[in-house]
Amino acid sequence: MSAILLLVLGLGGMAAGYFVYSRFIASKVYRLDPDFKTPAHEFEDGVDFVPTNRFVLWGHHFTSVAGAAPIVGPAIAVIWGWLPAFLWVVLGTIFFAGVHDAGAIWASIRNRAKSVGALTGEVVGGRARSVFMIVIFLVLLMVNAVFGVVIAKLLINTPGAVVPVWGAIAVALVIGQLIYRRVIGLGLVSVIGVACLYGLIFLGPQVPISLPETTAGLSANAVWILILFGYAAVASLLPVWMLLQPRDYINGLQLFVGLILLYAAVLIANPTVVAPMINTDLPMDTPSMIPLLFVTIACGAISGFHGLVASGTTSKQLDKETDVRFVGYFGAVGEGALALAAIIAATAGFASLADWQAVYSAFGQGSLTAFVDGGARILSAGTGLSSEVAATLLTVMAALFAGTTMDTGLRLQRYIFQEWGEIYNQQWMRKPFPATALAVISCLVLAFGAGGADGSGGLLIWPLFGTTNQLLAGLTLLVVTVMLVRRGRPTLFTLLPLIFLLVMTLLALLIQLKDFYLKENWFLLGLDLVVLVAAILVTLECTAALRRHKKLREEEVRS
C-alpha cells in the first residue's frame, strides 16, 4: 500500500478535527471568553507570568509536550501492524488529546494558573490532591531522567548532531532578545531562526564532536547526562521569554519544516508500506495489543504530561482565553502529525517486509532507530539529501524536542517542590533555587543511584511511564469534568475519553503487575502497586466530587 494514502487520510482527519470539532469544544463546552483576564496579565512578573503571542506560545507548548515520545511510542506500536497505531493516533488526536490539552489550559487559567495537581485540591479535595501530586512527581521524574539518557545516547551515536543541538541554545537566546525587545518583526525573526538552525544541521556532520570514552572515571554517557542537567537547571531558572519561549518556538518551526520535507519526500518517492496492516506473526512474548496499544502510544494520541505543561507553564503565558483553542488543541494536532510521520517512517522506510521483520524481532524494538533510519531513506529518495545529512536532520529533530521537554519538565518539577512548600508551609522550599536543586538531585539520584556510574537509572522505571502517564491524562480529564459539572456545561465530550482511558490504563497496570511478579522485579512491582492504589483513590475521590457537584447543580436549577 502507498504511504501517501496514510499521509492524506491522517492529516485530513486531524485538520477536520481542528477546524470543526475544536471549534465546537471551544464555543459549547469550554465557552472561551475573549474578555477574560488571564493570569499572565493578572500576575505578570516578567519571569514565569508573561503574556505571549499565541504563535510563540504555541511553539513553546507544542515542543514542550512533543519530545521523543510521539516518535518512540508509534515506532514501537507498529509491531501490532500499522492500522491500530494509525487509528489510535488520528482518532486520539481529534477526540482525546485536543480536548485534554485545551481543557487543562482552560481549567488552569480559570484558577489562577495553578497546576493540575494543586487545582485538584480546590476542585476535588485535599486527599485527592496529595495522591495526585505523587503521580505527577513520578511522571516528571521518569520524563526528566529518561530524556537525559535519550539525548546523551543520541549525541554519542551521532556526533554530527552535537553542534546543532547545542548551537540551537545560542540561537534561541538571540531570538529571545529580538522578540522581547521587538527589534524586528516576528516573521523576520522566524526566518532568521529557522535558517540558523538548518545551517547548523548542515554544519554538524562537518565538525562532529565526541567526548572521551571516560572522563574522571565517568563514561561519556554519564558526562553528557551531568551536562544536560546542569543546563536544564539554569534554563529552568531563567525568565521564560529569555530561553524557554524562543527555543521552543524556533524548534516548533524547525519541526514543521522537517515534517514538510519528510511529507514532501513521501509524495515524491511514494514509498510502499511494507509492514502488515494487522500483524498476525508477532514475535514471542509480545503483549496483547489491547490494552497495551493505548499506553505504548501516549504522546501523539493523548498524554498526561501534556496536562502538566498546559497547567504548569502554558497557562502562565496565555494572552487571551480564546488562544486556548489554537495553543492547546492545535498543539495536539502538531504532535499527532509528528506521530503520523513516525508511523510512516517505521513502516514504509524499509526495502521489504523481511527487512522490517528483522528490526521488529521483539517487542520494544524499532523506537528512534526505526524512525531515523526509515525516515532518512525516505528523505534521501524524495529530496536527494545525502543519507548522512538526512539522518542528522532527523536525529537533531528528536534531540531538540527531547531537550525542550526536559527544560520544561525540570521547571515543572521545580513548581511541584514549590507547591509542596506552600502546602506544607515550608518557606525555604518555595524559593526557586532550593526547589530547582531538589528537582535536579532527585533526577540524578535516580539516574546514578539506580543506574550506577553510567547514569542510565532512569530507564529502570521507564516501563511504568506509559501507564502512569495515561493515568495522569485520565485523572486530568476527571478534574476538567468536575469543573464542567460545577458550571452546568456538557460533560459527555470529556467523560467518554476519560472512562475509556481509565479502563485501559487500569487493565494495563494489572497486566504489568502480573508481569513484574513473574519476573520477580520487586522494585517495579512496588511502584506499580503505588500507582494502581493512587489511581483508584483519586478516581473514587473525583467520582464522589462529580456526584456532589451534580447534586448541587440540580438543586440550584430547581431553586
Side-chain angles (χ1 to χ4, degrees):
M1 188 190 77
S2 171
I4 293 177
L5 184 60
L6 288 185
L7 175 64
V8 172
L9 291 176
L11 293 183
M14 293 179 201
Y18 176 70
F19 288 111
V20 179
Y21 191 62
S22 76
R23 191 181 300 277
F24 167 78
I25 294 295
S27 62
K28 302 299 182 182
V29 178
Y30 299 138
R31 299 179 188 175
L32 304 180
D33 181 3
D35 298 321
F36 176 76
K37 187 176 183 179
T38 63
H41 290 282
E42 186 176 356
F43 307 114
E44 184 173 359
D45 60 6
V47 179
D48 293 320
F49 291 86
V50 179
T52 304
N53 178 286
R54 67 174 186 156
F55 294 100
V56 175
L57 184 56
W58 173 87
H60 155 70
H61 179 79
F62 166 51
T63 53
S64 293
V65 302
I71 297 172
V72 173
I76 291 175
V78 294
I79 196 169
W80 288 300
W82 61 260
L83 183 61
F86 174 79
L87 290 177
W88 177 226
V89 163
V90 175
L91 297 178
T93 295
I94 298 170
F95 298 108
F96 288 70
V99 175
H100 169 274
D101 291 17
I105 300 174
W106 169 75
S108 180
I109 62 173
R110 285 287 172 167
N111 289 273
R112 303 180 301 283
K114 288 192 173 183
S115 73
V116 67
L119 180 58
T120 305
E122 292 192 6
V123 176
V124 180
R127 287 178 300 184
R129 177 194 61 197
S130 299
V131 177
F132 204 178
M133 294 281 274
I134 294 173
V135 177
I136 291 171
F137 179 77
L138 283 174
V139 169
L140 289 173
L141 189 65
M142 292 177 193
V143 168
N144 292 333
V146 171
F147 276 18
V149 178
V150 168
I151 300 168
K153 290 188 180 299
L154 284 171
L155 295 177
I156 291 170
N157 295 334
T158 312
V162 174
V163 167
V165 166
W166 291 101
I169 297 170
V171 173
L173 287 169
V174 174
I175 294 299
Q177 295 293 327
L178 294 177
I179 293 175
Y180 184 72
R181 301 186 187 285
R182 293 180 172 85
V183 177
I184 53 178
L186 183 61
L188 184 56
V189 168
S190 304
V191 172
I192 293 172
V194 172
C196 289
L197 278 185
Y198 276 92
L200 290 170
I201 288 173
F202 281 93
L203 175 64
Q206 311 304 317
V207 284
I209 296 176
S210 299
L211 293 180
E213 289 189 11
T214 57
T215 303
L218 295 175
S219 67
N221 190 74
V223 173
W224 273 128
I225 289 173
L226 289 173
I227 293 172
L228 286 164
F229 273 107
Y231 155 74
V234 173
S236 71
L237 290 167
L238 292 176
V240 290
W241 63 265
M242 187 176 290
L243 179 59
L244 190 69
Q245 281 182 0
R247 175 170 157 81
D248 292 353
Y249 174 62
I250 294 300
N251 283 346
L253 293 178
Q254 177 258 2
L255 169 66
F256 262 89
V257 173
L259 282 178
I260 289 170
L261 286 174
L262 184 57
Y263 285 148
V266 170
L267 294 174
I268 295 168
N270 191 20
T272 300
V273 176
V274 299
M277 183 169 68
I278 302 290
N279 191 7
T280 56
D281 187 22
L282 291 168
M284 189 178 297
D285 296 330
T286 300
S288 170
M289 181 176 70
I290 297 175
L292 271 299
L293 170 70
F294 304 104
V295 297
T296 302
I297 300 180
C299 299
I302 182 172
S303 165
F305 180 70
H306 292 202
L308 300 184
V309 175
S311 63
T313 57
T314 304
S315 62
K316 294 176 175 63
Q317 303 170 61
L318 200 78
D319 184 35
K320 296 179 180 179
E321 190 177 59
T322 46
D323 291 344
V324 163
R325 176 173 169 248
F326 181 79
V327 174
Y329 196 101
F330 192 58
V333 169
E335 190 174 61
L338 177 57
L340 178 62
I343 291 173
I344 293 174
T347 58
F350 295 85
S352 66
L353 175 60
D355 291 335
W356 183 84
Q357 289 173 329
V359 171
Y360 287 87
S361 57
F363 182 72
Q365 299 299 308
S367 191
L368 280 174
T369 302
F371 171 73
V372 172
D373 292 348
R377 290 190 189 99
I378 294 172
L379 268 176
S380 295
T383 64
L385 290 172
S386 70
S387 57
E388 184 181 25
V389 171
T392 300
L393 189 153
L394 295 175
T395 300
V396 170
M397 182 187 295
L400 286 178
F401 288 120
T404 53
T405 300
M406 190 176 170
D407 289 359
T408 302
L410 198 67
R411 186 180 287 260
L412 291 171
Q413 209 166 354
R414 185 246 289 179
Y415 290 161
I416 291 295
F417 279 108
Q418 287 180 298
E419 287 178 354
W420 273 335
E422 184 176 349
I423 292 169
Y424 299 110
N425 196 29
Q426 297 295 318
Q427 296 300 318
W428 66 274
M429 198 184 293
R430 296 177 63 181
K431 297 177 181 179
F433 283 96
T436 300
L438 288 173
V440 172
I441 290 169
S442 62
C443 291
L444 292 179
V445 166
L446 175 61
F448 290 93
D454 192 47
S456 298
L459 296 177
L460 183 69
I461 62 173
W462 187 247
L464 273 174
F465 172 75
T467 45
T468 309
N469 187 44
Q470 296 304 70
L471 166 66
L472 181 57
L475 298 179
T476 299
L477 282 171
L478 259 176
V479 172
V480 172
T481 303
V482 172
M483 284 189 60
L484 292 173
V485 168
R486 289 172 62 175
R487 288 166 168 74
R489 309 276 179 81
T491 58
L492 185 67
F493 308 98
T494 56
L495 194 60
L496 290 180
L498 82 84
I499 290 173
F500 177 85
L501 208 57
L502 286 180
V503 168
M504 290 300 163
T505 303
L506 290 173
L507 286 175
L509 279 168
L510 291 171
I511 290 172
Q512 285 186 322
L513 198 66
K514 178 183 177 182
D515 185 53
F516 296 146
Y517 175 77
L518 293 175
K519 292 179 179 177
E520 298 184 352
N521 191 330
W522 309 122
F523 178 70
L524 287 183
L525 179 70
L527 272 182
D528 196 311
L529 281 171
V530 169
V531 174
L532 184 61
V533 171
I536 294 170
L537 289 176
V538 176
T539 300
L540 291 174
E541 289 282 347
C542 288
T543 302
L546 275 172
R547 291 174 178 169
R548 185 171 64 250
H549 288 300
K550 186 176 181 181
K551 184 178 180 180
L552 289 173
R553 187 68 189 177
E554 289 172 351
E555 290 175 355
E556 288 176 3
V557 171
R558 283 197 298 269
S559 61

